[in-house]
Amino acid sequence: TLDDTAVNAIYGSCSFSDPNATASQFIIFASNTKAIAVNIDTQATTDINYPSLLTISSSVTMLQAFNKVFIFRNGSTALEWNGSFSGTPAFTKVASGTYTQPTNLAASGFVITNGEATVTVSNTLSAGDTVTLTTAGGSGLTKGTEFTVSEATSSAFKFFVNSDDVGNQTDVHFTKRVSVGLGFSHMPAPPYAVYHQRRLIMPFNFSVDASADSFTSRGILDEIIASDILDTDTYDQIYAQYRFNAGEADFNVALHSFSEDNLMVFNRNSIHLVANTTTLQGASTKLLTNEVGCVARQSIQQVGNQVIFLSDNGVYSTQFFDEYNLRGTETPLSEPINTTIQRINKTYWENSVAVYFDNRYFIAVPLDTCLLYTSDAAD
């Protein structure tokens, strides 16, 4: 029980594991005035403040990724916390407003050994990215030359070059790839996001305005966008966005990270698959089925190669065979209690929540009275 006169509602929660402590497990609650971390082992609570004057008054979704916790507020600037309990823990707003480029990479160290250059610099590059040499310094290389990153960590990147060995230099600068067309964007105020292949992927419902904390509805509800690898602040509006069933009576409901670099996209009336997202330019999309869709994001549960979710027809099961060809059961799993399923309040069924536990699928749905549906272990 959170007994606090300032807290009168909880609008979201997520699990959290402290990267600086072993065997730690927390639940983070988002209340109206602050977030609260509860240590599951000790029951001790820690307040995590919101930015000054900010309160939460409607449902939010939360997620831990990249050792951060995010609070997604549909149409408003998302919040992030760095996961540290030292000092005074606090959420801050993610970057918004005009995206500034290019990004300068000033190396604190640069060496070439046996045709491999190692650049010591804090960055969010990944293998396959392109960098441009803007200050040659003592590198012996030509200013303006582009190089393809062969290997990267958060503190250095490498590339191959046909050049003599060079001892450590500290006056070499690079820039990251500059976007084309619509350009890069900050996080577009999503209602939720999922972690998939070292990226955050989310609905692309809003565009980021030039002014901080300002967003404009795009009038598009069937498009998603992905962040750069290990970079939750950069979104490529050309290569990292995907639209499904454009112009049809359909909209995004949920995303689910499936196995082997496959992302399932659940729309209201269809299900799609995005493959090969490691390199966004080479990603592909395909329609899995337009015979069934999902009505509640939090009803989706994966059990092996089977995915269970709530659809118009009740609790539905799909299964993947032969390189992820989707096959659905002929009748919903919930057919034995179809009379109860028909009583679900369709105005609120998007709020349904499910878990898979003890070889059973449990789902809470909005009825005139509280009810849990439990499948048999063999179903």
Side-chain angles (χ1 to χ4, degrees), residues 15-31:
S15 59
F16 171 71
S17 193
D18 185 354
N20 299 312
T22 59
S24 71
Q25 188 67 44
F26 296 80
I27 296 177
I28 311 294
F29 295 99
S31 77

Side-chain angles (χ1 to χ4, degrees), residues 342-360:
Q342 295 304 314
R343 292 171 51 208
I344 295 178
N345 189 327
K346 295 183 179 181
T347 302
Y348 302 106
W349 63 0
E350 65 181 32
N351 300 318
S352 301
V353 180
V355 296
Y356 190 81
F357 175 74
D358 195 23
N359 204 29
R360 287 174 170 82

Side-chain angles (χ1 to χ4, degrees), residues 216-261:
T216 300
S217 173
R218 303 176 65 242
I220 296 174
L221 298 177
D222 58 356
E223 193 166 340
I224 64 174
I225 193 168
S227 74
D228 275 6
I229 291 178
L230 301 178
D231 183 357
T232 62
D233 188 43
T234 302
Y235 298 80
D236 191 328
Q237 298 178 83
I238 295 296
Y239 294 114
Q241 62 85 20
Y242 309 93
R243 192 173 184 184
F244 308 90
N245 285 4
E248 296 187 12
D250 213 357
F251 57 88
N252 177 258
V253 173
L255 301 169
H256 180 74
S257 182
F258 197 63
S259 60
E260 296 185 12
D261 192 12

